[in-house]
Amino acid sequence: MRRFTFLLLMSTILSLPMMAQDEGTENCLWMSAELQKKINKQWSIGTEVEYRLRDDMKNTDRWTASVSAAYKPYKWLKFDAGYKFIRLQNPFEQKLAANGQTVKRETPAYWSNRHRLFASVTGTLSLGQFDISLRERWQYTYRPEITVESYDGLMEDGDRDDKVKEGKASHVLRSRLEVGYNIPRSNIDPYVNVELYHAAGGLDKIRYTAGADWKITKQHTLGAFLRYVDDKGDDPDYRVIGLSYKYKF
């Protein structure tokens, strides 16, 4: 009965936002690999690399590399902090004139860097086979100034007019509520979560996720998840298939 209830909860969390999606929703693929070293019972350090595809998995979105440290004073409480380097491919951009037909400016796709600092605290409550956790994470992201190729009108015959994008910083608070289920006598741990992104202008986006981790051995873990991202800004919503690998030593 508990397994059925959890699976029903998992399917409901994902199905509600997906029922409202339109045909223009993109499909993305996120892949990551992580190394984690346990120093003692309370401290651990880790590093992770990630690669993302967008536009129905046709184009590179970004790749990232991060380092972090975690401190767990109690079984139910964890603190962690780290730094992430992001190499992002910004898509082709076209701005139209007031009539909506004449091309005013075009900017080819270009690569840019991001530097991100993050710190979080996670509290976990165990109820039988269920683990309920709440994570609050603050992240600060800085985009350095960059000069990009830009054209006044169509690129084929327009005049090149390079554009300077000034440096930009942002603060985001991410609140994630997660429910995990420990299947008896199984190495597979399913979970569902909902994560809210709060930026300066209010609620920025919501992530709905259902996934599972498979502990092959004490050192090797494979993960997979499905995610729907409800963007509250100008960007479109999108779906994500996620694959991960973790090695502990």
Side-chain angles (χ1 to χ4, degrees), residues 78-89:
K78 184 179 78 170
F79 299 92
D80 68 283
Y83 164 78
K84 178 179 289 188
F85 173 78
I86 303 171
R87 181 68 172 168
L88 176 71
Q89 181 176 214

Side-chain angles (χ1 to χ4, degrees), residues 62-131:
R62 69 179 67 178
W63 64 264
T64 68
S66 64
V67 292
S68 62
Y71 173 62
K72 199 170 184 178
Y74 306 103
K75 186 177 180 180
W76 57 273
L77 183 64
K78 184 179 78 170
F79 299 92
D80 68 283
Y83 164 78
K84 178 179 289 188
F85 173 78
I86 303 171
R87 181 68 172 168
L88 176 71
Q89 181 176 214
N90 299 267
F92 166 82
E93 181 181 342
Q94 187 180 74
K95 289 187 177 180
L96 301 178
N99 59 19
Q101 297 179 348
T102 305
V103 176
K104 184 177 181 181
R105 178 178 293 276
E106 288 188 340
T107 303
Y110 64 94
W111 288 90
S112 62
N113 298 331
R114 303 285 193 278
H115 301 280
R116 176 171 294 171
L117 298 174
F118 61 87
S120 59
V121 56
T122 305
T124 303
L125 175 65
S126 295
L127 296 174
Q129 302 300 124
F130 292 92
D131 289 329

Side-chain angles (χ1 to χ4, degrees), residues 45-203:
I45 56 175
T47 182
E48 182 181 26
V49 292
E50 182 185 36
Y51 180 68
R52 297 184 182 182
L53 292 169
R54 64 165 186 262
D55 302 329
D56 293 331
M57 308 179 194
K58 297 176 183 177
N59 298 310
T60 296
D61 177 49
R62 69 179 67 178
W63 64 264
T64 68
S66 64
V67 292
S68 62
Y71 173 62
K72 199 170 184 178
Y74 306 103
K75 186 177 180 180
W76 57 273
L77 183 64
K78 184 179 78 170
F79 299 92
D80 68 283
Y83 164 78
K84 178 179 289 188
F85 173 78
I86 303 171
R87 181 68 172 168
L88 176 71
Q89 181 176 214
N90 299 267
F92 166 82
E93 181 181 342
Q94 187 180 74
K95 289 187 177 180
L96 301 178
N99 59 19
Q101 297 179 348
T102 305
V103 176
K104 184 177 181 181
R105 178 178 293 276
E106 288 188 340
T107 303
Y110 64 94
W111 288 90
S112 62
N113 298 331
R114 303 285 193 278
H115 301 280
R116 176 171 294 171
L117 298 174
F118 61 87
S120 59
V121 56
T122 305
T124 303
L125 175 65
S126 295
L127 296 174
Q129 302 300 124
F130 292 92
D131 289 329
I132 303 172
S133 66
L134 176 63
R135 187 190 72 181
E136 295 292 345
R137 168 169 288 183
W138 163 83
Q139 68 180 33
Y140 167 81
T141 307
Y142 177 69
R143 183 196 71 194
E145 181 180 293
I146 185 174
T147 300
V148 301
E149 206 175 303
S150 187
Y151 294 84
D152 183 13
L154 294 174
M155 287 189 291
E156 290 81 2
D157 53 13
D159 294 328
R160 179 167 173 172
D161 182 21
D162 289 352
K163 183 178 180 181
V164 176
K165 290 185 175 291
E166 297 181 354
K168 183 179 179 181
S170 64
H171 295 267
V172 175
L173 177 64
R174 298 167 53 175
S175 304
R176 188 190 71 188
L177 179 64
E178 181 170 294
V179 179
Y181 181 69
N182 302 307
I183 302 175
R185 297 179 297 278
S186 173
N187 293 329
I188 299 177
D189 297 320
Y191 62 88
V192 292
N193 65 54
V194 178
E195 186 171 18
L196 282 66
Y197 282 60
H198 299 275
L203 183 60

